[in-house]
Amino acid sequence: MGFSVCLDKDACNGCEDCLEACTTGVFEMRNGKSSPVNADECTGCQSCVEICEQNAITVAETGIEMSDTFKALLRDIL
Ligand code: SF4
Ligand code: SF4
């Protein structure tokens, strides 16, 4: 199952708690704000959602795990 990681940059205060909470290294700091640069690594554990006092992070199941072939096809179509 895949997961999408959304981050509200306006709400983020740059505390870096989510970087420490995420064991798969999804987040990196960019210009003083957290950014889910490695969202493909998300396991959906929700640790970052729970630790963020700003409620800046949303993690949701995408419902489908797209294969590399399907992603390539989508890129061709779009
Ligand atoms: S825990 Fe929340 S407020 Fe802190 S850096 Fe992460 S997203 Fe920003
Ligand atoms: S849900 Fe878990 S694995 Fe996914 S970004 Fe948050 S802490 Fe990392």
Side-chain angles (χ1 to χ4, degrees):
M1 195 65 77
F3 295 91
S4 67
V5 183
C6 295
L7 201 142
D8 182 348
K9 286 198 187 316
D10 290 335
C12 175
N13 64 11
C15 70
E16 301 191 21
D17 284 353
C18 55
L19 275 74
E20 290 179 29
C22 182
T23 55
T24 58
V26 166
F27 302 100
E28 286 181 12
M29 295 304 287
R30 296 280 162 87
N31 299 318
K33 307 275 184 175
S34 177
S35 182
V37 292
N38 299 312
D40 286 351
E41 302 298 320
C42 178
T43 62
C45 71
Q46 302 284 329
S47 297
C48 56
V49 176
E50 288 164 15
I51 206 160
C52 180
E53 294 181 355
Q54 300 298 116
N55 293 321
I57 307 172
T58 309
V59 175
E61 280 186 18
T62 57
I64 49 168
E65 184 84 54
M66 283 195 284
S67 69
D68 289 342
T69 309
F70 188 63
K71 286 179 190 169
L73 278 172
L74 273 182
R75 271 197 295 274
D76 285 347
I77 293 167
L78 299 175

